[in-house]
Amino acid sequence: MEDAVPTTESSTKIVPINKDAVHHICSGQVILDLATAVKELVENSLDSGATLIEVKLTDHGRTCVSVSDNGSGIAEEEFEGVALKHHTSKLRSFLDLTDIRTFGFRGEALSSLSSLSELSMITRHRSRDYAYKLEFDRNGSLKAKKLCARDMGTTVYVKNLFKSLPVRYKEFQRNFKKEFTKAIQVLYGYCLVCTNIRITCSNTVSGKQSTPIVVTLGAASVRDNILSVFGKKALDGLIPVKQIPPDDSVLQEYGLSSNDAEGISSNIKWECYVSSCTHFMGRSSPDRQFLYVNSRPCDPVKVTRLIGHVYHKYNAKQYPFVFLNLILERNRTDVNVTPDKRTIFLIQESLILASLKSSLIQTWEKTLGSLTATKLDETLFSFKRSASPTSHVYPITKKQQIAPGKVEQNDLEQTDGLLSNITEVIINERNIPGFGQSTKSTILRMVVNLDSIRQAIRAQRAGKVTLEDIQDQKRTNKVRFRTKIAPNLGKDAEQELRKELSTDSFDKMEIVGQFNLGFIIARYKEDLFIVDQHASDEKYRFEKLQGATKLHTQQLIVPRRLNLSSLNETILITNQPTFIDNGFTFNINEQCEPGHRVELTGIPVSGNWQFGQEDIEELIFLISEGRSEDSLDCSNGIPRPSRVRQMLASRACRGAVMVGKALNGTEMRRLLLQMGQINNPWSCPHGRPTIRHLLCLSLLHH
């Protein structure tokens, strides 16, 4: 086929576009990137009833993408139409969309791929003893067919993707690793939700051995799929979210009544798992949030935003792992919205959000103040090293209790005599070193193994305690910092630092030197600290930007009416100064009905960042939830939308002292003094620790 050339003649006459041109134009809208291509092929395999799907990429998808399955295969009489536009076996009339149960239904994927790449396939129908290799031209027409061998199922080959679109092809080749990562992220979504189906993905770089990327084992549960895809660590702190009816305050927030919530459990169901809100159990970015409607991966923006807002109420530094599969009546959803089918309209959206919010709040509230069995065991077994005279850790029997306080020899003998009957240990969380301070005493009961305590008591009773042990105990009593440096103990370390260090402490620290061109070693009294030079400077700049940045307001040519619930509208009107400080301006028309009184007249802009109604809704949410100044790092008390915080954090990061830079004494002193001038110097905007305790010098033997 000869290369086409652009039309040079000018025309004022309206004529229909050539069918080949229409096909080419629309194809680029259906297959946007590598991720979309992989998605469409995997969905075709799932719709064919496959239980084994193999995705193979060559050169990260630049050279070839192939998807092989053991599904039903394609019948010979369907070969001619398999890659033609709007040819499908899944839909017969528009009304079928109300009960569509397959991933695909438009008949666009293979047709679009044929236009954008070199498309071929090998397929064997379940009724045949042999397979066919099929090749298609740019219009999706079958141009070659020949017999070959393979098991039942289909393998589709997509070579030189976007070759027919020079600009997009060049962009794809330049950013292939980014496109590859995005495609794998999309594939993860199907790996998790598809139970009893084995999905594998591998990548082969030309001339090298194939590298496995992801493998599932065809497990029968979502939790087992999570284990296969992300490993055992992903299950740590993973909590199922049970559905509860929303309370009156949440219903009012979404403009609902108690009547609206009746029968919610029969109309709306879900399978949901989220990570614990405990610090360092979350992630630094929202890269592991997988949402579905009736097992179809989708991007419900309002649901994602709600989950983030609720989670940040308990953990403002991280993002949760989320698996949420909403099970809804199919006639209450509309999946025919966008070409990629990832935008879905829901009839009961407000009710779903209200129920989800109440359920998430209850789930994460339960995790606050709770101790895992592992932490409890560690605390008990390190009792001699970490317990202070005021710690309330004591065994309980049915009839007897040893009171807290100083334990004498007789008490130890009495305790050892009781140990055989002990079944529980009561711990007052507020007084356990390393677990922070609570506003109220929280009593927890857990069954533990007390063999370690028995051995320690018997050793002391046998006279094995030496004078050196007593001197060690005196040194230990001087220790103010007991938390180890560990990713899962970040919250405890911050609480210790808050308690023991004041703003003046940083001014009084002595600089020991710089370590590894990235850290400052400083001494304060009898303790050594390590300070991250980049993270500490970044946090100082971030808080200064938070207070000093004034977003420029761009006035709208035509004011835009905001459709808000009555409650949210009232919050906005009452807190207008907060919105003005963030660059939003409004007109309030009291003549209009509640919910339609506010017109947006100006929006904040800063560089390439633009903000809009989503940020307004987030501000309303922050105000209604009473988010504290401390949780938002607002030195001037102004709450900021998360996108504004991201923008400021990005600017602070670019201007901060980088790791690898050698610092002199004056520069190191400046960084320490800066930490004493900000509200929350313990971690950077991205959640990285800025300072940690290294060791207590009084524990060193001379």
Side-chain angles (χ1 to χ4, degrees), residues 161-176:
L161 184 61
F162 301 126
K163 189 75 172 183
S164 60
L165 299 176
V167 176
R168 194 179 301 186
Y169 179 74
K170 184 177 180 180
E171 189 73 12
F172 175 44
Q173 295 292 320
R174 185 171 59 207
N175 300 310
F176 70 92

Side-chain angles (χ1 to χ4, degrees), residues 230-250:
F230 297 120
K232 184 178 179 180
K233 188 176 180 181
L235 296 180
D236 293 343
L238 199 64
I239 310 168
V241 178
K242 296 181 179 179
Q243 184 178 355
I244 65 168
D247 56 35
D248 291 340
S249 62
V250 176

